[in-house]
Amino acid sequence: MKITQLNRVLINDRLFDMTLDLQKGTISKITPSNNDSAGVNTGSVRDAEGLQYLPATTDMHIHLDKHFLGEPWKPLQPFITLPGQLAFEKSMLASLPTTAAERARRLIDLLLSHGTTKIRTHVDVDPELGISHLEDVLTVREEYRGVMEMEIVAFPQQGLLRSDSLQVMKEAMRAGAEYVGGVDPAGLDRKVDRSLEAMFELSAEFNAGVDLHLHDPGHLGLYTISRFAELTAQADKGGRTAVSHAYCLGQVSEGESKELAQQLKANDVAIITSVPLDRPMPRVDQLVAEGVRVHVGSDNILDAWSPFGNGDLLARGAKLAEKFGWILDDELLQTYPLIAAGTLAPKAGDPASFMLVAALNAKHALAYAPARTAAFSNGKLVGGKWAEAMTMA
């Protein structure tokens, strides 16, 4: 059943009726509810009965091709060295009976069920693997077009220089990736400046953005991010580059991280975090205060690196707020721009990508992270209890 009218939706502590334009994928009208809209559940009309409106979430760091969802349980090994872990991951992925496309579909369906309608996925490429994973993910992107918006990063997981991946990266960019990826210019590639320069040379050749995985610690990581910001400015790539993880920003003094935050703001470089519990992470409160663009992503979900993760960005936002002690209403609300592109106050003409949850208000929803009752993407019901019920019916 296609839903074109939602009555009694809770938005900013008031009830509204919402009309959806399924052809355009937008909200065409929002009006205050009245008694006439209560209890109407006929045809394409649904009474939300006071469910809270939330914008759809955006997962800005995920790996569609590397998880083990739906596979037999895979025992992990202790992390000792990065090269050792990379070899372990490669062998684990090679042993899976499923294709990257099958795994991508499983994870996308899970994300949609949680109300995530936009992702940035890093897809492994290297001389041995080629671009086979990327080709699978590109195929799946077309299958989900109009439901899941997807940005693709060509990701040289084994090290851009270390694995001699420059040529396969070019092949990946020609095939359709929009972002040049990289990982640990010091710890893995062992050539900080050359590794970063190679990423930006690729980005210039293919008019692409850059998204760097950075685990390198302390002042080494700090130098790497500062150089990354300089190269962003030199290449006029402001707004199109990001550093993922950036643990070093939580390992140096507040004064040092603040100075770098100001450089990130000046050059419009984003920081993306998965909100790790097992290590220092960027001071998100400081970054937000300095005006740096900050995004949140799931990163690992049941893979060779970690058995944890469920793809629920609302729950991950709650984890972020809890970690930084954001307990006041305004603090809770400041989490939403980090996990969602839409607003808590929709208007006519906005994309009809949102969630409905049982919560007292948006602050309660963030703190509680309730199960999704319904999730919509461009007006289509794609997840939550309503979608499950319709599937069963």
Side-chain angles (χ1 to χ4, degrees):
M1 182 184 75
K2 295 180 180 179
I3 298 174
T4 59
Q5 180 73 25
L6 286 164
N7 294 332
R8 297 201 299 164
V9 176
L10 185 60
I11 303 173
N12 290 332
D13 303 318
R14 293 181 59 196
L15 295 177
F16 291 86
D17 297 343
M18 296 173 52
T19 304
L20 308 182
D21 186 329
L22 302 189
Q23 186 172 2
K24 294 181 179 178
T26 61
I27 300 170
S28 60
K29 185 167 64 172
I30 302 177
T31 57
S33 298
N34 55 47
N35 292 333
D36 295 338
S37 64
V40 178
N41 285 294
T42 59
S44 60
V45 179
R46 190 74 184 250
D47 184 1
E49 300 180 4
L51 290 170
Q52 174 68 44
Y53 173 99
L54 300 176
T57 50
T58 58
D59 194 319
M60 297 305 285
H61 189 115
I62 202 162
H63 296 265
L64 289 181
D65 59 328
K66 304 211 293 190
H67 64 85
F68 303 149
L69 293 172
E71 307 290 342
W73 181 259
K74 305 287 184 182
L76 303 186
Q77 69 175 17
F79 182 96
I80 299 174
T81 66
L82 183 54
Q85 185 65 23
L86 293 175
F88 173 69
E89 178 190 56
K90 205 166 180 63
S91 67
M92 293 279 276
L93 289 171
S95 72
L96 296 178
T98 48
T99 66
E102 291 173 283
R103 295 193 293 276
R105 293 185 191 100
R106 287 177 189 168
L107 185 47
I108 290 172
D109 288 341
L110 177 64
L111 296 172
L112 288 171
S113 75
H114 290 312
T116 291
T117 61
K118 178 180 179 179
I119 61 174
R120 178 179 296 176
T121 180
H122 299 255
V123 183
D124 280 13
V125 300
D126 62 50
E128 180 182 325
L129 185 65
I131 64 168
S132 59
H133 282 199
L134 176 65
E135 289 172 332
D136 277 3
V137 171
L138 286 167
T139 296
V140 172
R141 177 164 71 174
E142 290 306 310
E143 294 172 5
Y144 284 81
R145 189 170 292 279
V147 175
M148 177 64 79
E149 183 180 349
M150 192 184 305
E151 299 174 351
I152 298 178
V153 184
F155 181 46
Q157 173 71 90
Q158 305 297 315
L160 179 60
L161 304 182
R162 175 179 177 269
S163 63
D164 194 20
S165 288
L166 284 171
Q167 290 307 311
V168 74
M169 284 289 288
K170 291 184 178 184
E171 188 179 353
M173 302 311 296
R174 283 191 289 266
E178 296 104 339
Y179 283 81
V180 173
V183 57
D184 291 352
L188 201 56
D189 275 344
R190 302 286 183 173
K191 298 177 181 178
V192 178
D193 289 281
R194 180 62 199 124
S195 180
L196 291 174
E197 289 163 2
M199 293 173 210
F200 279 89
E201 287 165 6
L202 286 168
S203 75
E205 182 176 351
F206 295 98
N207 189 26
V210 185
D211 192 328
L212 169 67
H213 279 61
L214 184 67
H215 313 94
D216 289 334
H219 291 94
L220 176 59
L222 213 64
Y223 168 80
T224 303
I225 296 177
S226 179
R227 185 72 182 119
F228 185 91
E230 289 174 356
L231 289 169
T232 295
Q234 291 171 18
D236 194 23
K237 294 281 182 177
R240 300 181 66 191
T241 68
V243 179
S244 292
H245 304 313
Y247 304 136
C248 61
L249 288 173
Q251 296 171 323
V252 297
S253 71
E254 289 191 29
E256 290 170 311
S257 63
K258 180 176 181 177
E259 183 178 350
L260 187 52
Q262 292 168 346
Q263 185 183 8
L264 293 172
K265 165 63 176 175
N267 296 319
D268 200 5
V269 177
I271 294 294
I272 302 174
T273 180
S274 61
V275 197
L277 297 178
D278 59 343
R279 67 195 70 194
M281 61 172 283
R283 296 182 174 96
V284 173
D285 48 357
Q286 183 185 71
L287 291 170
V288 170
E290 293 297 329
V292 178
R293 288 183 298 115
V294 179
H295 303 290
V296 174
S298 294
D299 194 17
N300 308 103
I301 294 179
L302 184 58
D303 61 9
W305 301 79
S306 169
F308 304 112
N310 62 2
D312 187 341
L313 255 289
L314 188 60
R316 197 160 291 258
K319 186 168 87 168
L320 174 69
E322 185 174 8
K323 184 158 185 169
F324 283 92
W326 293 351
I327 61 172
L328 304 181
D329 283 4
D330 288 346
E331 294 172 336
L332 289 169
L333 290 177
Q334 76 178 350
T335 309
Y336 280 103
L338 312 184
I339 63 172
T343 71
L344 291 165
K347 61 183 184 300
D350 284 353
S353 297
F354 57 91
M355 302 176 274
L356 299 177
V357 300
L360 299 173
N361 50 42
K363 287 87 69 176
H364 180 221
L366 192 282
Y368 176 47
R372 308 312 97 93
T373 302
F376 291 82
S377 178
N378 294 322
K380 303 178 183 70
L381 180 64
V382 295
K385 296 176 183 177
W386 288 2
E388 293 170 8
M390 288 182 183
T391 299
M392 291 177 63

